[in-house]
């Protein structure tokens, strides 16, 4: 990292630094832009494995120990002390609670403007009059608010009461190179299948998601059960679901797999750091979520040339166009998901979807594009006043689609 002492200080505020979409984005911003800014981190609840790695690499990571899952006013004051200690120029809050605590910190430390990125929404999503009042009371003219997609942007306007002209879109970005590199790599495909105990004829479906109720893995398991019972897969070809990720529902998923005697068709892989290699071994990528922002895992699969089957929730429709770059189904509809997966045994359909999906991933969701946009926002706010830009100037960083 550059040691230029004149770099503006950006403090990224998160729930924790366990590995997840928002956390990986924050880590990537710090590493990509550290020649221009000095990055520090504050976690509300836990530091996490990614936070430990950041500290080992020289990034300051603080913890304020939020005491309650709801409003903890003292947490905001502890956050303010961390901001003052690090002489922070800009706060970048990831998700709503860190944004709220950053707003509360202003009751003690008023200086830094806030960049707020909302990565997704709770399910079910609802409007709170108290949140709307706090948002409007403490939001300043210099602050910048972003959704990772248009659906998230609309939720911020509707349910958080943020003014429409104050909320912009910056799409999440992915380092596409490791994923594009495994596209059509038949040697890697065979190697990974052998390692996983899979045959070359197996139809392999991969799902990468934390084992959380919002990801609805039980619908994915039911879809695989339907495929196991279908005529095509009764004739000798085996279908196999790989679940990469950890979380609180692991025990429940394992029990359901046992109860339905699907042990030879479903494998829980745990947390993995070799997702590109797993994609190389796969015939399809599945996402069965009931709530999403802009899922990075879908973009990764598209870049790797693996056809996508997903539920149509949140911002997924901004990533996947049904019938053109992937196949979509309603939430909880295991029958439709299974039918979509079965249709992907047709090589011509797979090729049609994958060619278009790879182009969309590269054009709209590159990591370099996203980092450039946030870097521009930081530079605009890190001056002595953090003066808000005009609406015309803001449009420079807003994605269009």
């Amino acid at each position: 990292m550059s040691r230029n002492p004149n770099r503006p200080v950006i403090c990224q505020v998160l729930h924790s630094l366990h590995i997840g979409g928002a956390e990986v984005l924050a880590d990537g911003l710090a590493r990509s832009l550290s020649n221009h800014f000095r990055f520090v981190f504050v976690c509300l609840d836990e530091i996490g494995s990614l936070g430990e790695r950041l500290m080992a690499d020289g990034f300051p990571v603080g913890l304020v120990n939020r005491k309650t899952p709801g409003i903890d006013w003292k947490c905001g004051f502890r956050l303010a002390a961390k901001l003052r200690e690090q002489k922070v120029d800009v706060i970048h809050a990831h998700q709503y609670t860190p944004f709220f605590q950053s707003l509360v910190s202003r009751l003690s430390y008023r200086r830094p403007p806030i960049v707020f990125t909302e990565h997704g929404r709770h399910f079910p999503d609802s409007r709170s009059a108290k949140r709307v009042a706090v948002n409007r009371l403490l939001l300043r003219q210099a602050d910048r608010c972003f959704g990772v997609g248009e659906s998230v942007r609309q939720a911020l306007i509707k349910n958080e009461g943020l003014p429409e002209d104050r909320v912009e879109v910056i799409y999440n970005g992915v380092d596409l190179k490791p994923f594009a590199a495994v596209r059509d790599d038949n040697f890697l495909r065979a190697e990974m299948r052998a390692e996983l105990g899979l045959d070359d004829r197996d139809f392999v479906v991969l799902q990468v998601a934390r084992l959380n109720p919002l990801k609805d893995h039980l619908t994915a398991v039911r879809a695989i059960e339907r495929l196991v019972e279908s005529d095509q897969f009764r004739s000798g070809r085996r279908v196999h679901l790989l679940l990469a990720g950890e979380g609180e529902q692991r025990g429940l998923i394992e029990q359901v797999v046992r109860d339905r005697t699907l042990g030879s068709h479903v494998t829980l892989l745990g947390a993995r750091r070799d997702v590109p290699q797993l994609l190389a071994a796969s015939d399809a990528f599945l996402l069965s979520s009931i709530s999403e922002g802009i899922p990075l895992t879908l973009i990764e699969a598209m870049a790797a040339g693996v056809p996508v089957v997903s539920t149509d929730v949140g911002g997924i429709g901004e990533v996947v166009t049904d019938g053109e770059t992937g196949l979509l189904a309603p939430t909880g509809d295991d029958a439709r998901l299974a039918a979509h997966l079965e249709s992907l045994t047709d090589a011509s359909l797979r090729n049609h979807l994958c060619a278009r999906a790879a182009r969309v991933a590269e054009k709209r969701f590159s990591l370099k594009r996203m980092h450039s946009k946030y870097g521009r926002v930081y530079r605009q706010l890190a001056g002595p006043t953090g003066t808000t830009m005009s609406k015309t100037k803001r449009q420079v960083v807003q994605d269009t689609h």
Side-chain angles (χ1 to χ4, degrees):
M1 292 186 295
S2 166
R3 299 298 177 184
N4 176 5
N6 297 319
R7 290 171 296 159
V9 179
I10 313 297
C11 179
Q12 300 200 73
V13 183
L14 306 98
H15 283 280
S16 73
L17 279 163
H18 290 294
I19 294 176
E23 295 77 12
V24 169
L25 185 152
D27 174 88
L29 282 170
R31 297 181 188 280
S32 174
L33 301 175
S34 61
N35 283 335
H36 306 286
F37 308 97
R38 187 171 77 84
F39 283 90
V40 302
F41 295 81
V42 174
C43 299
L44 301 185
D45 305 318
E46 297 178 83
I47 287 180
S49 57
L50 193 55
E52 298 287 351
R53 198 182 312 162
L54 283 161
M55 286 194 290
D57 291 339
F59 293 95
V61 180
L63 180 64
V64 294
N65 290 308
R66 186 168 60 121
K67 301 301 183 184
T68 64
I71 296 175
D72 180 354
W73 295 98
K74 291 182 179 179
C75 176
F77 288 98
R78 292 193 295 273
L79 173 58
K82 296 283 186 185
L83 299 173
R84 188 180 293 109
E85 174 189 319
Q86 292 290 344
K87 298 181 172 59
V88 169
D89 295 295
V90 176
I91 300 168
H92 190 168
H94 295 271
Q95 299 174 314
Y96 181 77
T97 299
F99 171 59
F100 173 81
Q101 295 295 347
S102 298
L103 290 175
V104 171
S105 75
R106 285 189 165 150
L107 299 175
S108 175
Y109 186 58
R110 294 185 56 82
R111 189 166 78 93
I114 298 172
V115 176
F116 166 38
T117 297
E118 181 64 289
H119 294 264
R121 299 294 297 173
H122 288 294
F123 182 85
D125 198 359
S126 60
R127 186 180 177 94
S128 162
K130 288 183 179 179
R131 286 203 316 264
V132 170
V134 171
N135 294 340
R136 291 178 176 174
L137 178 66
L138 295 179
L139 191 72
R140 292 202 316 230
Q141 192 69 9
D143 298 333
R144 304 286 298 280
C145 301
F146 297 94
V148 298
E150 183 59 31
S151 65
V152 177
R153 175 179 177 268
Q154 291 299 325
L156 291 176
I157 295 165
K158 178 182 177 182
N159 293 331
E160 302 302 338
L162 298 175
E164 186 171 1
D165 63 351
R166 298 294 306 279
V167 188
E168 306 161 64
V169 171
I170 293 181
Y171 280 120
N172 280 345
V174 176
D175 181 3
L176 301 177
K177 291 179 183 176
F179 300 94
V182 305
R183 199 183 304 159
D184 301 321
D185 188 333
N186 292 325
F187 176 80
L188 180 60
R189 174 185 173 89
E191 184 178 56
M192 282 301 297
R193 284 189 171 221
E195 181 180 318
L196 295 165
L198 300 170
D199 187 83
D200 184 57
R201 291 187 68 246
D202 290 343
F203 184 78
V204 178
V205 180
L206 174 66
Q207 180 154 335
V208 180
R210 68 185 186 277
L211 306 183
N212 175 276
L214 291 182
K215 304 301 179 180
D216 194 15
H217 287 81
L218 300 186
T219 289
V221 171
R222 292 195 301 272
I224 294 304
E225 184 178 34
R226 286 181 178 274
L227 286 185
V228 170
E229 296 172 351
S230 70
D231 290 340
Q232 180 173 165
F233 291 100
R234 278 180 176 173
S235 62
R237 192 177 188 188
R238 187 175 67 142
V239 60
H240 202 98
L241 174 64
L242 302 174
L243 298 178
E246 279 293 355
E248 63 271 32
Q249 283 207 313
R250 183 182 182 106
L252 173 61
I253 296 166
E254 289 175 331
Q255 184 63 52
V256 169
V257 169
R258 285 194 296 270
D259 291 347
R260 295 175 181 266
T261 62
L262 292 171
S264 62
H265 297 280
V266 180
T267 301
L268 280 76
L269 299 173
R272 301 286 293 227
R273 297 183 64 180
D274 59 347
V275 173
Q277 290 77 16
L278 292 174
L279 284 165
S282 303
D283 296 297
F285 187 87
L286 176 62
L287 192 64
S288 51
S289 300
I290 61 174
S291 178
E292 282 289 351
I294 299 290
L296 301 182
T297 53
L298 285 187
I299 301 165
E300 292 167 353
M302 290 162 66
V306 179
V308 165
V309 172
S310 175
T311 48
D312 188 6
V313 295
I316 287 175
E318 297 173 61
V319 180
V320 177
T321 302
D322 190 29
E324 287 297 317
T325 58
L327 300 171
L328 300 178
T331 55
D333 193 340
D334 52 276
R336 183 78 66 86
L337 291 172
H340 284 335
L341 289 169
E342 188 166 6
S343 73
L344 291 177
T345 58
D346 179 350
S348 62
L349 176 59
R350 288 201 310 272
N351 293 337
H352 168 86
L353 297 173
C354 291
R356 288 162 173 76
R359 287 197 294 270
V360 169
E362 290 162 4
K363 181 178 179 181
R364 187 178 293 178
F365 300 106
S366 78
L367 195 66
K368 182 177 180 181
R369 177 186 176 113
M370 181 192 70
H371 287 170
S372 174
K373 289 176 180 291
Y374 279 117
R376 193 177 307 148
V377 172
Y378 294 158
R379 283 190 292 274
Q380 290 161 346
L381 295 185
T385 60
T387 304
T388 273
M389 296 181 300
S390 69
K391 185 177 179 181
T392 302
K393 289 182 180 177
R394 278 191 205 160
Q395 197 66 31
V396 174
V397 297
Q398 186 170 7
D399 277 345
T400 57
H401 43 164

